[in-house]
Structures are given as structure tokens and as C-alpha cells.
Amino acid sequence: MKKTIQIPLGSQHISLLEPIRFKFECENEKIIGVDADVGFVHRGVELACTRSFEFKQVGYVVARVCGLCAITHSLSYTLAVEKLLGYVANDRIKYLRMLMVELDRIHSHMLCLAHTAENAGFEALFMQIMADRELVMDLQEAISGNRVQFDFIAIGGVNRDLTPELSALIHKNLELLSDKIDTLLGLFDNNWSLSLKYKGVGVLTLDQAYTYNALGPLARAAGLATDVRVETSDFPYEALGYTMVLESTGDIHARNFVRLREILNSIAMCRNIVDNLPSGEIQEKTKGKPSGEAVVRVEAPRGELFYLVRGNGQNMLERVRIKTPTFSAIPAMMEVFKGSEYADAPAILASFDPCMSCTAK
Amino acid sequence: MIRSMFEAFKNLFKPVHTVNYPATELVLPKGYRGLIEYDKEACIFCDKCEKVCPPGAILFYQPLEGEKEYRYNPWLCIYCGECVRACPKPQEALWQSETKQQSALKEDGANEGWFVWEAACKQSREDFKAAKIKNKSEESV
């Protein structure tokens, strides 16, 4: 007789933000085998980029791949096309792009923290973090003119400039936010009921992280020092006070802490950017059409985002390939589930911060 | 534990975070990206806005004689402002306002009506081209 039972999680489940299906092979309450299916929200974006839209419009199309990291997608695509056109952006453009990416990272990390709290059964904390997150959403809306779809980055620059009033607003909101993050740090560290759900649960060891190619906060929580921000030189991160946040235990608690401390680091960087904004044009004319092949890596909130763009000197591109952080992290995710309790699965899943629309695109 | 209970008690007397929408109006920030507005008098009919528009929300109908007719689908528009940046006379012929678009009703024909218009525009271009060629050949004869 068969000793194990199969329990599915998804594709529709109360703890899921987006459709993903896990099939857990369980022995009593323990998970011993996992099978994942991620392709529920496939929309054919890659093909649309090469068939229906010209290369100048594709930046707005790829921004619609994901609502949370819209800015990282359009940034990676723009960087790839600018490489093909041989255009180098000036410092002001680079700083403004960095500002938006870091604000994006803050609000994405806060969303993940909120959902991890919710899936651990702490609904009140979810509400509190989501309310605090509005501070960043307001900033992004004021800077770009829209709450979710920013359409801020264009080929050859950015679409909007930073006014003195906006700089003051950024300082004000970030000041408020950093106080709230400090309280959250204390709460996540000391709250007894949260520690039951987080500490020692869903552990990914350093060896596993290395073997299964974990990336982003998932890897940094296990102590694997990997961050595209230090590995590439597209943006002057080192000069603006970037520090790598590393934890060693690799459990949900460590992942939450990496996120919280990265938020603090991003807030510091945003302040530096606003204070030291160089002067210059915000949009410059680019000439020519993309020909050749370019590869770009950008650190999205969830890890490394990879873009390949191939053009042949025409208005239409030949190939756009998007490899998203969640897709690359699936082997590591499946490894974490093995050996943990079934009841912990939703909290573990939320702590990965999976983005299914990115993955299936 | 005691502190969190104290916090929970304090929260009972705090004002709410949410807004009573739609009874209370939402405050949009300055420079909100809203509807694209158009002035026929200033337009020079260069069609640049139509060419750059990513979703194809601006279309010009080409009649056989007379001016082109501008048509804009506010529900298809993504409010990116590419058309305004491409316009040779920005702020005069084409500009971005701060008004927010209301949701479409069935009689607005946001989808079906627009597909009909899209096909009509395409057909009008072809008709115009054919008429032009015909005129030329008649002149040469």
C-alpha cells in the first residue's frame, strides 16, 4: 500500500497572490517531495515584443510583464537597447533611474513582508505594513505620475524630472518610513508568535543555495554573497553607499531580516541620490536602429533579472528573452519545501516572494 | 507580548488609513498622468502621434477629400505621453491633462466600437491611396 499522500497547493489557493501549483508528496504532515507548475499566467509577451511592437514601444510593453517590478523590466530592456545603439546615459539620467529602482525595491520588499506576516497568521501586521507602504507608493506616483505603471524610463533618458518640491516630499516620506522600518525590525525580531512561525522554518543552507543557484534575498539570507548591483558597473552603487546585507541562518526569519535591512539601505541610497543629483539633460536623442546582440543583468527586488535583446537593424527586434529571478530560483524553492511541515508551506512560499506573472510572462 | 497588546488597544482610537471613496474624492498628485487632449485647429496632421503610440490608441481617418479626422480611445491609452513628446506642436495641438478617465460602459464601445473604427481607418487609407493613383493615371492620360 502507498505510504504517502499527495496534497496540492494551488493553482487557486487562499494563500496565493498569483496562480502557481505545487504538488506536495506528504508523509503524515511532512513534505518529502515537491512538484511545481508555474505557467498559469502565460501571455506571450516575448513574442509580442518581436511581432507587434517596434523597438521604441517595447519598453512600455515589457513594463506590463509585472506590476511590482515594472521599472526594473523597462530599465533592463532600455539598457540593452542603449548598448546596441551605442548610447551612454549621463549621470543625471543614471541617478534618476536608480532612484526609481530603489523606491521600487522598498515597496516590493514591504509587500513581501506583509504577505509573509499574513500567511503566518498575523493579519494585523499585514494591514500595518501595507498602510506604511503607501508612503512609497505616493512617492512613486508623485515622481512618475502613476501609481503602478510608471512609464518613467524611455530610450535615451527618463520622461520626467525631479522638482525641488518632489525632493522635499521624498525626504519627508522616507524619514517617516525609516522610523516605521525600525519598529518593524524590533517586531520581527522579538515578537514571540512570529518567531514560532519564522525561526528555524524553511531553511536553505549555504551549500544548497550554492548548488541550486539561489539568488537575490533568498541567497543572501543563506550567506551567499551574490548581488548584481556589485557585479555590474551600469550604475554607481558603490559611490552611493551600497552595502551588501548578509544573514547566515537561511530560514524565513533571515529572509525577512535581509529584506528589512535592504529597505534601510535603499532608503539611505535614495537620500544620497536626491541630495547629490548631478545637473544635465534628462532626455537625449538617440540615433539608429539596434543591430547585434546585448545581454543585460539588473538586480530586481527578487534577484537577478536577465535580458537578451537581438536586433538586425530594423524597427522590429529579432528576439527578446526575459529570464526572471523567480524562474531561476524554483529549484532552490523546491529544495526548501522538502522536510518541512505542510502547515508551514504557505508562509515559506510567501517568504520567497514569488512573482508568477514575471515567470510565465 | 504586553507591548503588542498595548499597541492593539491604542489602535482602537487611531484614525483610519483608508479613504471613503467614492464619497470622498481622491487627491491626485500634481502632474498626474491623465487623458490626452487634442486641438484640431493647431494640428498639422503629421500623424507622428499615431505612429509612436504603443497601444495604438490614436487613429486618423483619411477621407477622400478634406481634413483627416482624429479619434482617441481613452480606455486603450496607457497615458505614457509618448505622443505628446513626439508632437511637433506640444501643448498646442496635443497635451496631457490631469483628468482621470472614468470606467467604460457597454454603450461606449471601448472594444467593439474601436475595432470597427480601426478597420474603417485602415480601409480609408487604402481607398485614399487607390484614388490618388487613379487620379495620377487620369492626369497623365
Side-chain angles (χ1 to χ4, degrees), chain A residues 125-306:
Chain A
L125 187 60
F126 165 77
M127 296 286 181
Q128 190 191 327
I129 300 177
M130 287 305 258
D132 296 345
R133 180 170 166 263
E134 285 304 304
L135 288 170
V136 192
M137 301 298 281
D138 286 348
L139 278 185
Q140 287 183 316
E141 189 175 10
I143 294 172
S144 69
N146 204 331
R147 219 176 108 91
V148 176
Q149 289 300 345
F150 310 118
D151 296 337
F152 183 70
I153 295 172
I155 295 167
V158 292
N159 288 341
R160 279 161 170 253
D161 205 358
L162 213 60
T163 57
E165 299 95 72
L166 277 177
S167 310
L169 183 72
I170 291 172
H171 273 297
K172 191 185 123 207
N173 277 13
L174 289 183
E175 186 69 49
L176 284 171
L177 187 72
S178 75
D179 289 343
K180 301 202 173 193
I181 298 296
D182 282 336
T183 12
L184 281 183
L185 269 169
L187 194 66
F188 272 92
D189 205 15
N190 301 326
N191 191 291
W192 180 69
S193 45
L194 277 182
S195 75
L196 285 180
K197 283 280 189 185
Y198 290 162
K199 283 184 186 163
V201 176
V203 178
L204 182 77
T205 60
L206 181 56
D207 270 355
Q208 282 174 335
Y210 194 76
T211 317
Y212 293 102
N213 197 7
L215 67 176
L218 183 61
R220 290 196 283 277
L224 186 65
T226 164
D227 194 325
V228 182
R229 285 179 282 179
V230 282
E231 289 159 14
T232 56
S233 55
D234 288 327
F235 293 104
Y237 271 111
E238 305 278 323
L240 285 161
Y242 168 78
T243 48
M244 191 182 283
V245 180
L246 283 179
E247 292 278 335
S248 56
T249 47
D251 52 1
I252 302 181
H253 177 74
R255 290 199 270 281
N256 285 338
F257 250 66
V258 165
R259 294 212 169 87
L260 280 167
R261 283 168 55 203
E262 269 186 14
I263 291 175
L264 285 180
N265 189 214
S266 291
I267 290 176
M269 278 198 277
C270 285
R271 282 181 180 151
N272 282 343
I273 291 169
V274 175
D275 287 340
N276 306 315
L277 200 61
S279 56
E281 286 287 312
I282 59 154
Q283 194 150 37
E284 289 158 354
K285 278 253 179 300
T286 52
K287 276 182 193 154
K289 284 168 188 170
S291 73
E293 196 173 80
V295 168
V296 161
R297 297 192 303 148
V298 167
E299 180 79 7
R302 292 164 184 79
E304 173 205 273
L305 176 64
F306 168 98

Side-chain angles (χ1 to χ4, degrees), chain A residues 2-75:
Chain A
K2 215 176 162 194
K3 288 279 172 58
T4 57
I5 42 165
Q6 273 193 353
I7 308 179
L9 179 84
S11 55
Q12 304 294 326
H13 188 272
I14 193 80
S15 75
L16 296 177
L17 291 174
E18 291 170 284
I20 177 172
R21 191 181 64 213
F22 284 104
K23 249 192 235 157
F24 295 121
E25 196 81 34
C26 293
E27 210 176 53
N28 291 335
E29 284 288 298
K30 254 206 175 33
I31 297 166
I32 53 166
V34 196
D35 184 24
D37 187 353
V38 291
F40 288 97
V41 268
H42 180 66
R43 287 154 290 160
V45 172
E46 282 181 4
L47 200 64
C49 290
T50 54
R51 295 272 174 86
S52 316
F53 297 96
E54 292 174 8
F55 79 94
K56 279 185 182 163
Q57 303 170 338
V58 171
Y60 298 105
V61 180
V62 290
R64 267 105 190 130
V65 166
C66 173
L68 275 174
C69 35
I71 203 89
T72 6
H73 278 278
S74 53
L75 173 69

Side-chain angles (χ1 to χ4, degrees), chain B residues 74-130:
Chain B
W75 299 286
L76 190 61
C77 180
I78 59 169
Y79 315 109
C80 59
E82 274 294 295
C83 48
V84 179
R85 284 188 285 280
C87 185
K89 289 166 87 179
Q91 311 309 328
E92 286 176 53
L94 206 65
W95 67 94
Q96 190 153 29
S97 70
E98 293 186 10
T99 22
K100 199 176 169 185
Q101 174 58 33
Q102 299 299 315
S103 313
L105 299 173
K106 198 180 175 189
E107 42 283 20
D108 291 327
N111 289 327
E112 290 79 8
W114 186 253
F115 295 149
V116 172
W117 176 251
E118 222 171 8
C121 282
K122 210 174 167 191
Q123 188 60 43
S124 75
R125 294 274 161 93
E126 276 165 18
D127 290 349
F128 185 74
K129 226 185 221 170

Side-chain angles (χ1 to χ4, degrees), chain A residues 91-124:
Chain A
D91 275 352
R92 191 179 179 86
I93 295 174
K94 276 186 186 171
Y95 272 52
L96 285 171
R97 286 175 176 179
M98 266 173 81
L99 174 71
M100 281 305 273
V101 171
E102 289 309 311
L103 286 176
D104 200 60
R105 194 183 313 282
I106 295 173
H107 94 77
S108 175
H109 278 356
M110 287 187 81
L111 182 98
C112 171
L113 288 167
H115 279 286
T116 325
E118 189 198 20
N119 283 1
F122 202 157
E123 192 85 12

